[in-house]
Amino acid sequence: MHEFSIVQSIAEIALETARNNGAGQISSVEVEVGQSAGVVRDAMEFAWEAAGRGTLLEGASLVLKEIPLVVRCRNCQKTFHPDELFDPCPACGDINPEIISGKELRVVAIEVKYK
Amino acid sequence: MCDHCGCGGEGTGYSLINPAESDHKHEHTHSDSHTHEHPHEHHHEHPHGHQHTHEHTFTGNRILIETDVLQKNNLLAQRNKGYFEAKNILALNLVSSPGSGKTTVLELTLANLPGQRVYVVEGDQQTTLDADRIHAAGAPVIQINTGNGCHLDAEMISKAVRTLNPDNDSLLLIENVGNLVCPALFDLGEQYRVVIMSVTEGEDKPLKYPNMFQSAHLCLINKTDLLPYVDFQTDKFIRYAQKINPSLQFLQLSAKTGEGFGQWIEWIREKQP
Ligand SMILES: Nc1nc2c(ncn2[C@@H]2O[C@H](COP(=O)(O)OP(=O)(O)OP(=O)(O)O)[C@@H](O)[C@H]2O)c(=O)[nH]1
Ligand SMILES: [Mg+2]
Ligand SMILES: [Zn+2]
């Protein structure tokens, strides 16, 4: 389950930022997760508690913001929201559109408390 | 807690084993949340192109970060890639479901490349069975046991390659952990990703595991000797895979009979400058 190492990386990024800013506690971590990023939300939430145990992240909530999959047809330039990666273009049937969003896996911000 | 040294590392510990050393002495690594190796670089994309100082922006107690979660791996992968390019090493990342034939393909590939310097990195959760097979086939090999981890990452490859210390102009074959999901996300710095699919797996795999087929350059369709006994429709499989990745190339072979290996060896030689 790669969500464990993904969550581990999120924790490292959050902890380092908190320490560099002299924060006493992290209350939440906001992460953008693209619809086609290749991770399972439930698995990330499952791994979250263990990743933060005994650190400034203890008890912090993981806020996952889903970014929808948006693609642009390379043939007719139509922008659309496919259900599955690489559904054909609804206007011209072309395949292999360009991905505009939906692959994100990004730590956006943390909320901290100062002592 | 770590089985090898009892250091209390949480689950992500992995180990490197060289089967050529009879005592199976291994280097042992942990990434735990108390070390801070990750480079403190924050990428901010600003379409308006204005100058930006790398300080965090405060909004009350909210600290903006905007860092890609895979950034650490991607930076290390870029470093690996630079190393391979500088030494003119062709590095291939072989991915597949468990049992599609990665190790068997590697064994026969070694036998078909006489005179070529080939190094192998084996990734499995446990055991040195695959590395022992490659060692028996005569190539320098490092086994990475990922423990609970389900994929190789760029840091593991960097460590393994440092141990192998490959010659210039050589070939590095990396067998990833058998898994069609997780290895897709982790760039190792390889020039090409090769997905192996065996005819016993069913044609629908590309639709079920699109990330893996999307990120691959070449697909080896293995175990073609079994085609008479299974319902696998090769053209249907290729159509599905091309729907996910129109530029994916396909080669059909059997690691049992050696049929089709000529084209695969030719593909490797073509890619190696
Ligand atoms: N009939 C047939 N069997 C094959 C072929 N290639 C591999 N096998 C068999 O398939 C089984 C698995 O092969 P491996 O090479 O160990 O597969 P793998 O992908 O390395 O497996 P993991 O490392 O466990 O993920 C073995 O019993 C092989 O002998 C082939 O082309 N034809
Ligand atoms: Mg194997
Ligand atoms: Zn279109």
Side-chain angles (χ1 to χ4, degrees), chain A residues 73 76 89 92:
Chain A
C73 177
C76 74
C89 170
C92 74

Short mmCIF file of all heavy atoms in Angstrom, two decimals, chain A residues 73 76 89 92, ligand 3:
data_model
loop_
_atom_site.label_atom_id
_atom_site.label_comp_id
_atom_site.label_asym_id
_atom_site.label_seq_id
_atom_site.Cartn_x
_atom_site.Cartn_y
_atom_site.Cartn_z
N CYS A 73 -9.16 17.99 -25.22
CA CYS A 73 -8.97 17.20 -26.44
C CYS A 73 -7.88 17.85 -27.29
O CYS A 73 -7.90 19.05 -27.54
CB CYS A 73 -10.28 17.14 -27.22
SG CYS A 73 -10.12 16.26 -28.78
N CYS A 76 -9.89 18.66 -30.99
CA CYS A 76 -10.86 19.75 -31.16
C CYS A 76 -10.82 20.78 -30.04
O CYS A 76 -11.63 21.70 -30.01
CB CYS A 76 -12.28 19.18 -31.32
SG CYS A 76 -12.98 18.57 -29.77
N CYS A 89 -13.08 11.81 -26.31
CA CYS A 89 -13.67 13.14 -26.34
C CYS A 89 -15.16 13.03 -26.69
O CYS A 89 -15.51 12.38 -27.69
CB CYS A 89 -12.95 14.00 -27.37
SG CYS A 89 -13.76 15.56 -27.71
N CYS A 92 -15.64 14.77 -30.41
CA CYS A 92 -15.09 14.22 -31.66
C CYS A 92 -14.62 12.78 -31.54
O CYS A 92 -14.22 12.18 -32.53
CB CYS A 92 -13.95 15.11 -32.18
SG CYS A 92 -12.43 14.94 -31.24
ZN ZN C 3 -12.38 16.35 -29.41
#
